[in-house]
Amino acid sequence: MGTGGAKRTRVAAVVCGVMVMSLAACGGSGGDSGATADASPGGKAAQPKARTTDLKSIPDVSDRLQKRIPANSRQVVAVYGEGKDDADATVVFYTKNGSTWDKTRSWQGHNGKKGWTTNHREGDKRSPVGVFSLSDAGGVLADPGAKLPYTRSASFQAPRYWAKSHWHDFDYVIAIDYNRVKGTSPNDPTRPQGQSKGGSIWLHMDHGSGTSACVSLSKSGMEYLLRTLDPAQHPMIVMGDKAELKA
């Protein structure tokens, strides 16, 4: 596997958990924020910054979920949903140095239109809560320098009968390994747990509102993750609403 990722040609017409013949828009918009800064409205003194380096664990994630992060994983994308029935989320990238974690980047984003679920079903418009690996990427656009295997194909293109704001949702995607076969293009339709459990849950580009079940963030955020997530570092994603992540 080269630095640019293996180029694959086998693709299938599936987009974000829904077959092309019955596509539902999956995306959201959001700004690229970098590390979160302190605000000081009205001239009030800024609150002390939360610690962002030498963290003993991923912040605000329960031991139950932390234990599902493999010991050899040194890259974690954490998605903190605002609420169980809310589509707004914050996407944070953590890297492990020695035995501790550092908060490296942060972006505003979106999740499923109807929020989150611990029992995702096809078409429920909720993102699945859990800990998943990140192993494959792709999109309409040329490989930006991805370390994950990258499949470029026009088959990722959102249909033109969607709202124009959605047309670039899948210019870049990173497959979240929920109910899929690792080592295949993100739009491979295979569902090991069955079609009813949904699939094609991706990180992808943001269009300003909730998704069908995916997680979305800015184009610059996607480019950063594509160039940074490294199979040798065993990247993972921890995702869910804030209350469930802490439970």
Side-chain angles (χ1 to χ4, degrees):
M1 183 187 309
T3 298
K7 302 297 185 287
R8 294 173 303 228
T9 57
R10 187 168 72 88
V11 295
V14 176
V15 182
C16 212
V18 188
M19 299 299 287
V20 165
M21 65 183 69
S22 60
L23 287 169
C26 186
S29 95
D32 181 6
S33 65
T36 303
D38 290 289
S40 53
K44 294 180 180 179
Q47 295 297 314
K49 286 187 177 182
R51 187 174 181 178
T52 60
T53 60
D54 296 326
L55 302 164
K56 292 183 179 180
S57 61
I58 305 300
D60 300 316
V61 175
S62 68
D63 288 343
R64 172 180 62 89
L65 293 176
Q66 300 266 0
K67 289 176 181 177
R68 293 174 57 185
I69 300 172
N72 61 357
S73 176
R74 309 193 73 79
Q75 295 180 327
V76 167
V77 177
V79 184
Y80 300 96
E82 287 301 314
K84 181 180 179 182
D85 302 318
D86 196 296
D88 294 327
T90 301
V91 181
V92 183
F93 181 58
Y94 295 96
T95 55
K96 196 170 190 179
N97 294 297
S99 61
T100 61
W101 294 92
D102 294 342
K103 179 180 178 180
T104 306
R105 291 286 192 280
S106 176
W107 306 270
Q108 293 305 302
H110 291 88
N111 49 265
K113 296 174 183 177
K114 294 187 177 180
W116 297 89
T117 179
T118 56
N119 184 26
H120 177 64
R121 311 297 293 181
E122 181 81 11
D124 67 8
K125 309 298 184 188
R126 292 179 179 271
S127 297
V129 175
V131 180
F132 311 100
S133 54
L134 300 169
S135 56
D136 300 282
V140 176
L141 299 181
D143 183 352
K147 294 181 180 180
L148 297 174
Y150 188 94
T151 300
R152 184 188 187 187
S153 174
S155 68
F156 284 98
Q157 179 64 62
R160 285 303 187 256
Y161 60 80
W162 283 10
K164 190 174 182 179
S165 59
H166 293 68
W167 288 1
H168 296 285
D169 284 4
F170 313 126
D171 281 359
Y172 293 128
V173 307
I174 298 170
I176 295 170
D177 293 333
Y178 168 87
N179 197 20
R180 70 177 300 270
V181 177
K182 297 180 186 180
T184 63
S185 172
N187 60 3
D188 186 298
T190 308
R191 304 283 181 267
Q193 299 175 53
Q195 192 68 26
S196 66
K197 290 293 289 180
S200 291
I201 309 297
W202 299 342
L203 286 163
H204 67 65
M205 285 171 49
D206 203 54
H207 75 239
S209 60
T211 73
S212 285
C214 297
V215 172
S216 61
L217 65 154
S218 64
K219 181 179 181 181
S220 60
M222 285 298 299
E223 289 174 333
Y224 176 85
L225 289 177
L226 283 165
R227 293 167 180 157
T228 306
L229 293 174
D230 184 350
Q233 303 299 316
H234 307 283
M236 303 291 293
I237 186 167
V238 181
M239 52 194 275
D241 59 279
K242 291 178 180 178
E244 189 64 37
L245 289 177
K246 289 182 179 180

Short mmCIF file of all heavy atoms in Angstrom, two decimals, residues 40-95:
data_model
loop_
_atom_site.label_atom_id
_atom_site.label_comp_id
_atom_site.label_asym_id
_atom_site.label_seq_id
_atom_site.Cartn_x
_atom_site.Cartn_y
_atom_site.Cartn_z
N SER A 40 -14.81 35.01 25.17
CA SER A 40 -14.94 35.92 26.29
C SER A 40 -15.96 36.99 25.94
O SER A 40 -15.60 38.14 25.69
CB SER A 40 -13.59 36.56 26.63
OG SER A 40 -13.02 37.16 25.49
N PRO A 41 -17.28 36.61 25.81
CA PRO A 41 -18.30 37.55 25.41
C PRO A 41 -18.44 38.68 26.42
O PRO A 41 -18.25 38.51 27.62
CB PRO A 41 -19.56 36.68 25.36
CG PRO A 41 -19.28 35.54 26.29
CD PRO A 41 -17.81 35.30 26.17
N GLY A 42 -18.81 39.86 25.89
CA GLY A 42 -19.09 41.00 26.76
C GLY A 42 -17.89 41.48 27.55
O GLY A 42 -18.03 42.13 28.59
N GLY A 43 -16.69 41.13 27.10
CA GLY A 43 -15.50 41.60 27.79
C GLY A 43 -15.19 40.84 29.06
O GLY A 43 -14.27 41.18 29.78
N LYS A 44 -15.95 39.76 29.33
CA LYS A 44 -15.69 38.99 30.55
C LYS A 44 -14.41 38.19 30.39
O LYS A 44 -14.00 37.82 29.29
CB LYS A 44 -16.86 38.05 30.82
CG LYS A 44 -18.16 38.78 31.16
CD LYS A 44 -19.28 37.78 31.43
CE LYS A 44 -20.58 38.49 31.77
NZ LYS A 44 -21.68 37.53 32.02
N ALA A 45 -13.79 37.88 31.50
CA ALA A 45 -12.56 37.09 31.46
C ALA A 45 -12.83 35.73 30.86
O ALA A 45 -13.84 35.09 31.16
CB ALA A 45 -12.00 36.94 32.87
N ALA A 46 -11.95 35.27 29.99
CA ALA A 46 -12.11 33.96 29.37
C ALA A 46 -11.99 32.86 30.41
O ALA A 46 -11.22 32.98 31.37
CB ALA A 46 -11.04 33.78 28.28
N GLN A 47 -12.75 31.80 30.19
CA GLN A 47 -12.65 30.65 31.07
C GLN A 47 -11.34 29.92 30.80
O GLN A 47 -10.83 29.93 29.68
CB GLN A 47 -13.84 29.70 30.82
CG GLN A 47 -15.19 30.32 31.18
CD GLN A 47 -15.28 30.65 32.65
OE1 GLN A 47 -14.92 29.84 33.50
NE2 GLN A 47 -15.75 31.86 32.97
N PRO A 48 -10.78 29.26 31.80
CA PRO A 48 -9.55 28.50 31.57
C PRO A 48 -9.75 27.44 30.50
O PRO A 48 -10.82 26.83 30.42
CB PRO A 48 -9.29 27.86 32.94
CG PRO A 48 -10.03 28.71 33.91
CD PRO A 48 -11.24 29.20 33.20
N LYS A 49 -8.76 27.25 29.66
CA LYS A 49 -8.85 26.25 28.62
C LYS A 49 -8.85 24.84 29.21
O LYS A 49 -8.14 24.56 30.17
CB LYS A 49 -7.67 26.37 27.65
CG LYS A 49 -7.76 27.56 26.71
CD LYS A 49 -6.64 27.49 25.69
CE LYS A 49 -6.74 28.62 24.68
NZ LYS A 49 -5.67 28.53 23.66
N ALA A 50 -9.66 23.98 28.59
CA ALA A 50 -9.62 22.58 28.97
C ALA A 50 -8.29 22.00 28.51
O ALA A 50 -7.74 22.40 27.48
CB ALA A 50 -10.78 21.83 28.34
N ARG A 51 -7.78 21.08 29.24
CA ARG A 51 -6.52 20.45 28.89
C ARG A 51 -6.65 19.71 27.56
O ARG A 51 -7.63 18.98 27.35
CB ARG A 51 -6.12 19.47 29.99
CG ARG A 51 -4.73 18.88 29.83
CD ARG A 51 -4.37 18.05 31.04
NE ARG A 51 -3.06 17.49 30.96
CZ ARG A 51 -2.49 16.76 31.92
NH1 ARG A 51 -3.18 16.52 33.02
NH2 ARG A 51 -1.27 16.29 31.78
N THR A 52 -5.71 19.89 26.67
CA THR A 52 -5.79 19.26 25.35
C THR A 52 -4.60 18.37 25.02
O THR A 52 -4.56 17.77 23.96
CB THR A 52 -5.90 20.34 24.26
OG1 THR A 52 -4.75 21.20 24.32
CG2 THR A 52 -7.16 21.18 24.43
N THR A 53 -3.62 18.28 25.91
CA THR A 53 -2.47 17.42 25.68
C THR A 53 -2.23 16.52 26.90
O THR A 53 -2.69 16.81 27.99
CB THR A 53 -1.19 18.24 25.40
OG1 THR A 53 -0.91 19.07 26.53
CG2 THR A 53 -1.36 19.11 24.17
N ASP A 54 -1.52 15.44 26.65
CA ASP A 54 -1.19 14.49 27.70
C ASP A 54 -2.43 13.99 28.45
O ASP A 54 -2.45 13.84 29.67
CB ASP A 54 -0.20 15.10 28.71
CG ASP A 54 1.14 15.43 28.07
OD1 ASP A 54 1.55 14.68 27.17
OD2 ASP A 54 1.75 16.43 28.45
N LEU A 55 -3.48 13.73 27.67
CA LEU A 55 -4.73 13.22 28.23
C LEU A 55 -4.60 11.72 28.47
O LEU A 55 -4.11 10.98 27.61
CB LEU A 55 -5.88 13.49 27.26
CG LEU A 55 -6.12 14.96 26.90
CD1 LEU A 55 -7.02 15.07 25.67
CD2 LEU A 55 -6.75 15.70 28.07
N LYS A 56 -5.05 11.26 29.62
CA LYS A 56 -4.94 9.84 29.95
C LYS A 56 -5.93 8.99 29.15
O LYS A 56 -5.73 7.80 28.97
CB LYS A 56 -5.14 9.63 31.44
CG LYS A 56 -4.03 10.21 32.30
CD LYS A 56 -4.24 9.91 33.77
CE LYS A 56 -3.09 10.48 34.62
NZ LYS A 56 -3.29 10.20 36.06
N SER A 57 -6.99 9.62 28.66
CA SER A 57 -7.99 8.91 27.86
C SER A 57 -8.71 9.91 26.98
O SER A 57 -8.51 11.12 27.10
CB SER A 57 -8.98 8.17 28.77
OG SER A 57 -9.67 9.10 29.60
N ILE A 58 -9.55 9.43 26.08
CA ILE A 58 -10.35 10.31 25.23
C ILE A 58 -11.39 11.00 26.12
O ILE A 58 -12.16 10.32 26.79
CB ILE A 58 -11.05 9.52 24.10
CG1 ILE A 58 -10.03 8.73 23.28
CG2 ILE A 58 -11.83 10.48 23.20
CD1 ILE A 58 -8.97 9.55 22.59
N PRO A 59 -11.42 12.31 26.16
CA PRO A 59 -12.32 13.02 27.08
C PRO A 59 -13.80 12.70 26.84
O PRO A 59 -14.24 12.51 25.70
CB PRO A 59 -12.03 14.50 26.78
CG PRO A 59 -10.66 14.52 26.20
CD PRO A 59 -10.55 13.24 25.43
N ASP A 60 -14.55 12.63 27.94
CA ASP A 60 -16.01 12.48 27.90
C ASP A 60 -16.47 11.22 27.20
O ASP A 60 -17.55 11.18 26.60
CB ASP A 60 -16.64 13.72 27.26
CG ASP A 60 -16.33 14.99 28.04
OD1 ASP A 60 -16.42 14.97 29.28
OD2 ASP A 60 -15.98 16.01 27.40
N VAL A 61 -15.64 10.19 27.26
CA VAL A 61 -15.99 8.88 26.73
C VAL A 61 -15.82 7.86 27.85
O VAL A 61 -14.77 7.81 28.50
CB VAL A 61 -15.11 8.50 25.52
CG1 VAL A 61 -15.40 7.07 25.05
CG2 VAL A 61 -15.32 9.48 24.37
N SER A 62 -16.84 7.06 28.10
CA SER A 62 -16.84 6.13 29.23
C SER A 62 -15.77 5.05 29.09
O SER A 62 -15.29 4.75 27.99
CB SER A 62 -18.21 5.44 29.33
OG SER A 62 -18.41 4.58 28.22
N ASP A 63 -15.40 4.46 30.21
CA ASP A 63 -14.45 3.35 30.21
C ASP A 63 -14.97 2.20 29.35
O ASP A 63 -14.21 1.50 28.69
CB ASP A 63 -14.20 2.85 31.63
CG ASP A 63 -13.38 3.82 32.46
OD1 ASP A 63 -12.74 4.71 31.85
OD2 ASP A 63 -13.38 3.70 33.71
N ARG A 64 -16.29 2.02 29.37
CA ARG A 64 -16.93 0.95 28.57
C ARG A 64 -16.56 1.08 27.09
O ARG A 64 -16.23 0.08 26.44
CB ARG A 64 -18.44 1.03 28.77
CG ARG A 64 -19.27 0.13 27.87
CD ARG A 64 -20.75 0.30 28.15
NE ARG A 64 -21.21 1.67 27.86
CZ ARG A 64 -21.65 2.06 26.68
NH1 ARG A 64 -21.69 1.19 25.67
NH2 ARG A 64 -22.05 3.30 26.49
N LEU A 65 -16.60 2.29 26.58
CA LEU A 65 -16.27 2.51 25.17
C LEU A 65 -14.76 2.62 24.96
O LEU A 65 -14.24 2.16 23.94
CB LEU A 65 -16.97 3.76 24.66
CG LEU A 65 -18.50 3.68 24.58
CD1 LEU A 65 -19.09 5.02 24.14
CD2 LEU A 65 -18.95 2.58 23.64
N GLN A 66 -14.05 3.21 25.91
CA GLN A 66 -12.59 3.31 25.80
C GLN A 66 -11.96 1.93 25.63
O GLN A 66 -11.00 1.76 24.88
CB GLN A 66 -12.00 3.97 27.05
CG GLN A 66 -12.50 5.37 27.34
CD GLN A 66 -11.63 6.48 26.77
OE1 GLN A 66 -10.62 6.24 26.13
NE2 GLN A 66 -12.06 7.71 27.01
N LYS A 67 -12.53 0.94 26.32
CA LYS A 67 -11.96 -0.42 26.26
C LYS A 67 -12.12 -1.05 24.88
O LYS A 67 -11.45 -2.04 24.57
CB LYS A 67 -12.62 -1.30 27.32
CG LYS A 67 -12.22 -0.93 28.74
CD LYS A 67 -12.97 -1.77 29.76
CE LYS A 67 -12.58 -1.39 31.19
NZ LYS A 67 -13.36 -2.14 32.20
N ARG A 68 -12.99 -0.48 24.05
CA ARG A 68 -13.19 -1.00 22.70
C ARG A 68 -12.21 -0.40 21.69
O ARG A 68 -12.18 -0.80 20.54
CB ARG A 68 -14.64 -0.75 22.26
CG ARG A 68 -15.64 -1.55 23.07
CD ARG A 68 -17.07 -1.21 22.73
NE ARG A 68 -17.36 -1.39 21.32
CZ ARG A 68 -18.53 -1.06 20.74
NH1 ARG A 68 -19.48 -0.52 21.48
NH2 ARG A 68 -18.71 -1.25 19.46
N ILE A 69 -11.42 0.57 22.14
CA ILE A 69 -10.36 1.13 21.30
C ILE A 69 -9.14 0.22 21.43
O ILE A 69 -8.62 0.04 22.52
CB ILE A 69 -10.00 2.56 21.73
CG1 ILE A 69 -11.22 3.47 21.64
CG2 ILE A 69 -8.86 3.09 20.86
CD1 ILE A 69 -10.98 4.86 22.22
N PRO A 70 -8.68 -0.39 20.35
CA PRO A 70 -7.53 -1.31 20.44
C PRO A 70 -6.30 -0.63 21.04
O PRO A 70 -6.07 0.57 20.84
CB PRO A 70 -7.28 -1.71 18.99
CG PRO A 70 -8.59 -1.48 18.29
CD PRO A 70 -9.20 -0.30 18.98
N ALA A 71 -5.53 -1.40 21.77
CA ALA A 71 -4.33 -0.85 22.43
C ALA A 71 -3.34 -0.29 21.42
O ALA A 71 -2.58 0.63 21.75
CB ALA A 71 -3.67 -1.95 23.26
N ASN A 72 -3.34 -0.81 20.19
CA ASN A 72 -2.38 -0.34 19.19
C ASN A 72 -2.90 0.84 18.38
O ASN A 72 -2.21 1.34 17.48
CB ASN A 72 -1.95 -1.47 18.26
CG ASN A 72 -3.11 -2.07 17.48
OD1 ASN A 72 -4.27 -1.68 17.66
ND2 ASN A 72 -2.81 -3.04 16.63
N SER A 73 -4.10 1.32 18.67
CA SER A 73 -4.63 2.48 17.96
C SER A 73 -3.99 3.76 18.49
O SER A 73 -3.98 4.01 19.70
CB SER A 73 -6.14 2.57 18.13
OG SER A 73 -6.63 3.74 17.50
N ARG A 74 -3.49 4.58 17.56
CA ARG A 74 -2.85 5.83 17.94
C ARG A 74 -3.52 7.05 17.28
O ARG A 74 -3.02 8.16 17.35
CB ARG A 74 -1.35 5.79 17.60
CG ARG A 74 -0.67 4.53 18.16
CD ARG A 74 0.84 4.62 18.10
NE ARG A 74 1.37 5.54 19.08
CZ ARG A 74 1.52 5.25 20.38
NH1 ARG A 74 1.15 4.06 20.85
NH2 ARG A 74 2.04 6.14 21.20
N GLN A 75 -4.66 6.80 16.65
CA GLN A 75 -5.44 7.87 16.04
C GLN A 75 -6.92 7.60 16.30
O GLN A 75 -7.40 6.50 15.99
CB GLN A 75 -5.20 7.96 14.53
CG GLN A 75 -3.77 8.33 14.14
CD GLN A 75 -3.60 8.39 12.64
OE1 GLN A 75 -4.22 7.65 11.90
NE2 GLN A 75 -2.72 9.28 12.19
N VAL A 76 -7.62 8.56 16.86
CA VAL A 76 -9.05 8.41 17.14
C VAL A 76 -9.79 9.67 16.72
O VAL A 76 -9.41 10.78 17.07
CB VAL A 76 -9.31 8.14 18.64
CG1 VAL A 76 -10.80 8.29 18.97
CG2 VAL A 76 -8.85 6.73 19.01
N VAL A 77 -10.84 9.47 15.93
CA VAL A 77 -11.79 10.53 15.61
C VAL A 77 -12.95 10.37 16.58
O VAL A 77 -13.59 9.32 16.63
CB VAL A 77 -12.29 10.43 14.16
CG1 VAL A 77 -13.33 11.52 13.88
CG2 VAL A 77 -11.13 10.54 13.18
N ALA A 78 -13.22 11.38 17.39
CA ALA A 78 -14.35 11.33 18.33
C ALA A 78 -15.44 12.27 17.83
O ALA A 78 -15.16 13.44 17.52
CB ALA A 78 -13.90 11.73 19.73
N VAL A 79 -16.65 11.76 17.74
CA VAL A 79 -17.79 12.55 17.29
C VAL A 79 -18.73 12.72 18.47
O VAL A 79 -19.32 11.75 18.94
CB VAL A 79 -18.51 11.89 16.11
CG1 VAL A 79 -19.65 12.79 15.60
CG2 VAL A 79 -17.54 11.57 14.98
N TYR A 80 -18.85 13.95 18.95
CA TYR A 80 -19.68 14.26 20.11
C TYR A 80 -20.99 14.89 19.64
O TYR A 80 -21.04 16.08 19.30
CB TYR A 80 -18.96 15.24 21.03
CG TYR A 80 -17.64 14.75 21.58
CD1 TYR A 80 -16.43 15.09 20.97
CD2 TYR A 80 -17.59 13.96 22.73
CE1 TYR A 80 -15.21 14.66 21.49
CE2 TYR A 80 -16.37 13.53 23.26
CZ TYR A 80 -15.19 13.88 22.63
OH TYR A 80 -13.99 13.46 23.15
N GLY A 81 -22.06 14.10 19.58
CA GLY A 81 -23.35 14.62 19.19
C GLY A 81 -23.96 15.45 20.31
O GLY A 81 -23.81 15.13 21.49
N GLU A 82 -24.65 16.52 19.96
CA GLU A 82 -25.22 17.41 20.97
C GLU A 82 -26.30 16.73 21.79
O GLU A 82 -26.45 16.99 22.98
CB GLU A 82 -25.76 18.67 20.31
CG GLU A 82 -24.68 19.63 19.83
CD GLU A 82 -23.79 20.09 20.98
OE1 GLU A 82 -24.32 20.45 22.04
OE2 GLU A 82 -22.56 20.08 20.81
N GLY A 83 -27.10 15.87 21.17
CA GLY A 83 -28.18 15.22 21.90
C GLY A 83 -28.68 14.00 21.16
O GLY A 83 -28.43 13.84 19.95
N LYS A 84 -29.43 13.16 21.84
CA LYS A 84 -29.93 11.92 21.25
C LYS A 84 -30.75 12.17 20.00
O LYS A 84 -30.71 11.38 19.05
CB LYS A 84 -30.76 11.17 22.29
CG LYS A 84 -31.32 9.84 21.77
CD LYS A 84 -32.13 9.12 22.83
CE LYS A 84 -32.69 7.82 22.27
NZ LYS A 84 -33.53 7.12 23.29
N ASP A 85 -31.52 13.27 19.99
CA ASP A 85 -32.39 13.57 18.85
C ASP A 85 -31.92 14.80 18.09
O ASP A 85 -32.71 15.44 17.40
CB ASP A 85 -33.83 13.77 19.35
CG ASP A 85 -34.36 12.55 20.10
OD1 ASP A 85 -34.13 11.42 19.64
OD2 ASP A 85 -35.00 12.75 21.15
N ASP A 86 -30.65 15.11 18.19
CA ASP A 86 -30.08 16.32 17.60
C ASP A 86 -29.12 15.96 16.47
O ASP A 86 -28.43 14.94 16.54
CB ASP A 86 -29.34 17.10 18.69
CG ASP A 86 -29.04 18.54 18.29
OD1 ASP A 86 -28.28 18.74 17.33
OD2 ASP A 86 -29.56 19.45 18.94
N ALA A 87 -29.06 16.81 15.43
CA ALA A 87 -28.21 16.54 14.28
C ALA A 87 -26.86 17.26 14.32
O ALA A 87 -26.03 17.05 13.44
CB ALA A 87 -28.93 16.92 12.99
N ASP A 88 -26.63 18.11 15.33
CA ASP A 88 -25.37 18.85 15.42
C ASP A 88 -24.32 18.06 16.19
O ASP A 88 -24.63 17.39 17.18
CB ASP A 88 -25.59 20.20 16.10
CG ASP A 88 -26.45 21.15 15.28
OD1 ASP A 88 -26.38 21.07 14.04
OD2 ASP A 88 -27.20 21.93 15.88
N ALA A 89 -23.08 18.15 15.74
CA ALA A 89 -22.00 17.41 16.38
C ALA A 89 -20.69 18.17 16.29
O ALA A 89 -20.52 19.06 15.45
CB ALA A 89 -21.84 16.04 15.73
N THR A 90 -19.76 17.81 17.16
CA THR A 90 -18.38 18.29 17.10
C THR A 90 -17.48 17.10 16.82
O THR A 90 -17.60 16.06 17.47
CB THR A 90 -17.96 18.96 18.42
OG1 THR A 90 -18.85 20.05 18.70
CG2 THR A 90 -16.54 19.47 18.34
N VAL A 91 -16.63 17.24 15.82
CA VAL A 91 -15.72 16.17 15.41
C VAL A 91 -14.32 16.54 15.88
O VAL A 91 -13.81 17.60 15.53
CB VAL A 91 -15.75 15.98 13.89
CG1 VAL A 91 -14.81 14.84 13.47
CG2 VAL A 91 -17.17 15.72 13.39
N VAL A 92 -13.70 15.68 16.69
CA VAL A 92 -12.39 15.96 17.27
C VAL A 92 -11.42 14.84 16.91
O VAL A 92 -11.77 13.66 17.01
CB VAL A 92 -12.47 16.11 18.81
CG1 VAL A 92 -11.10 16.49 19.37
CG2 VAL A 92 -13.51 17.16 19.20
N PHE A 93 -10.21 15.22 16.50
CA PHE A 93 -9.18 14.24 16.16
C PHE A 93 -8.13 14.20 17.26
O PHE A 93 -7.57 15.23 17.63
CB PHE A 93 -8.53 14.62 14.83
CG PHE A 93 -7.46 13.66 14.38
CD1 PHE A 93 -7.74 12.31 14.19
CD2 PHE A 93 -6.16 14.10 14.15
CE1 PHE A 93 -6.75 11.43 13.77
CE2 PHE A 93 -5.18 13.23 13.73
CZ PHE A 93 -5.48 11.89 13.55
N TYR A 94 -7.91 13.00 17.80
CA TYR A 94 -6.93 12.78 18.86
C TYR A 94 -5.80 11.88 18.35
O TYR A 94 -6.04 10.92 17.60
CB TYR A 94 -7.57 12.11 20.08
CG TYR A 94 -8.62 12.94 20.78
CD1 TYR A 94 -9.97 12.78 20.49
CD2 TYR A 94 -8.26 13.88 21.74
CE1 TYR A 94 -10.94 13.54 21.14
CE2 TYR A 94 -9.22 14.64 22.40
CZ TYR A 94 -10.56 14.46 22.09
OH TYR A 94 -11.52 15.21 22.74
N THR A 95 -4.59 12.19 18.76
CA THR A 95 -3.44 11.34 18.45
C THR A 95 -2.77 10.90 19.75
O THR A 95 -2.73 11.66 20.73
CB THR A 95 -2.43 12.08 17.57
OG1 THR A 95 -2.04 13.30 18.22
CG2 THR A 95 -3.02 12.40 16.21
#
